[in-house]
Amino acid sequence: MLAKRIVPCLDVKDGRTVKGVNFVDLRDAGDPVELAWNYSQQGADELVFLDITATHERRKTMVELVKSVARQINIPFTIGGGINEIADADALLNAGADKISINSAAVRNPALIDELAKAFGVQFVIVAVDTRLVENTNIVHLNGGRIATDKETLSWIKEAESRGAGEILLTSMDHDGTKAGFDNKLLKIVNDAVHIPVIASGGAGSVQHIVDVFEQTNVDAALAASVFHYGEILIPDLKDVLRANKIEVR
């Protein structure tokens, strides 16, 4: 069994790290470059950087900020936000990204997944999925959760895998920022249905929530933001607890 990964996430808006609840009411959480350095020192396994308003504001990800973060860390680095074509991904690779995350653009143009996987390799492409329950069905949402689609979440994830997604970053909007725990029911369904790694996102509020998501769903990675940004969970302490629960970590 592969070691489970702990992945802090920097949601960046206007050059600052922010965090909200259910994708709204954003508040400042610090300087992304400083936070990135701190997580690299603490023993995070990877770092995700999401330019959360790039798609909504119809602009590209902030390449200079990405370069500044990349210089501070020595762990795999994923970038998402505003990636619509091969050239965008190429620019981010050159800025220091190890992987890219696509969300809205992939739903609008699914062939983009095929193109990126062919150009850079499957392991380079993470498809991020923001999902929310709508009349008891999990539905994919776009533009930072602002727009509901007609796509059912599991069927879209299976399509993304078939097109060349190397990983799925699945965020439950209903759980995001609530600190009430991950959507383990949905995560288990998805993880059992695909053959690529699944990163759980949305709802981490305690060390126990992260223990639970690994034990109950067997996902490959747990992503969290505010509990790390505000020092509520320290990564070395978290890994000690996971090891004590016989969950293999790096």
Side-chain angles (χ1 to χ4, degrees):
M1 188 175 79
L2 289 173
K4 302 301 187 186
R5 290 173 285 148
I6 302 301
V7 184
C9 181
L10 304 174
D11 291 327
V12 177
K13 181 177 188 287
D14 303 327
R16 297 288 292 179
T17 307
V18 295
K19 190 59 200 154
V21 177
N22 306 131
F23 283 41
V24 294
D25 299 328
L26 301 178
R27 62 181 176 131
D28 191 89
D31 175 57
V33 179
E34 286 178 20
L35 285 167
W37 179 84
N38 183 27
Y39 293 139
S40 186
Q41 297 298 307
Q42 274 193 47
D45 298 302
E46 296 189 17
L47 185 70
V48 171
F49 175 114
L50 299 176
D51 187 340
I52 59 170
T53 55
T55 297
H56 182 63
E57 293 169 2
R58 292 192 173 87
R59 59 172 175 76
K60 305 300 185 187
T61 302
M62 299 168 283
V63 170
E64 289 309 312
L65 184 56
V66 168
K67 286 180 182 174
S68 299
V69 171
R71 282 194 288 267
Q72 296 295 326
I73 61 175
N74 56 5
I75 53 178
F77 185 29
T78 296
I79 313 285
I83 299 165
N84 298 301
E85 57 190 4
I86 297 274
D88 299 335
D90 202 39
L92 292 170
L93 262 182
N94 289 328
D98 297 286
K99 307 179 204 176
I100 54 106
S101 168
I102 52 173
N103 186 335
S104 302
V107 176
R108 294 190 172 106
N109 174 23
L112 179 63
I113 303 171
D114 307 70
E115 291 167 17
L116 289 167
K118 188 176 176 185
F120 302 108
V122 167
Q123 75 288 344
F124 174 75
V125 184
I126 295 179
V127 172
V129 180
D130 296 333
T131 183
R132 174 177 267 161
L133 271 176
V134 179
E135 295 175 1
N136 291 322
T137 301
N138 269 288
I139 297 295
V140 177
H141 284 62
L142 306 185
N143 288 43
R146 293 173 179 84
I147 300 171
T149 69
D150 59 358
K151 289 189 183 288
E152 189 272 320
T153 299
L154 182 59
S155 62
W156 166 238
I157 288 171
K158 286 179 172 177
E159 179 181 345
E161 178 185 31
S162 73
R163 286 179 174 276
E167 293 184 67
I168 298 295
L169 168 52
L170 181 58
T171 301
S172 165
M173 294 172 60
D174 298 305
H175 289 244
D176 182 76
T178 63
K179 297 188 180 177
F182 293 94
D183 188 342
N184 292 334
K185 182 180 173 188
L186 174 64
L187 285 161
K188 177 159 177 51
I189 290 168
V190 169
N191 196 61
D192 289 350
V194 297
H195 303 95
I196 54 176
V198 174
I199 305 167
S201 168
S206 69
V207 169
Q208 188 60 48
H209 291 153
I210 298 172
V211 173
D212 290 345
V213 78
F214 288 135
E215 288 186 340
Q216 294 175 24
T217 75
N218 199 33
V219 291
D220 295 80
L223 177 146
S226 59
V227 289
F228 293 146
H229 300 339
Y230 301 118
E232 295 161 40
I233 295 177
L234 297 176
I235 292 168
D237 298 345
L238 168 60
K239 287 192 170 185
D240 286 344
V241 173
L242 291 169
R243 289 187 192 102
N245 282 272
K246 297 187 168 49
I247 297 166
E248 188 180 340
V249 289
R250 293 174 188 173

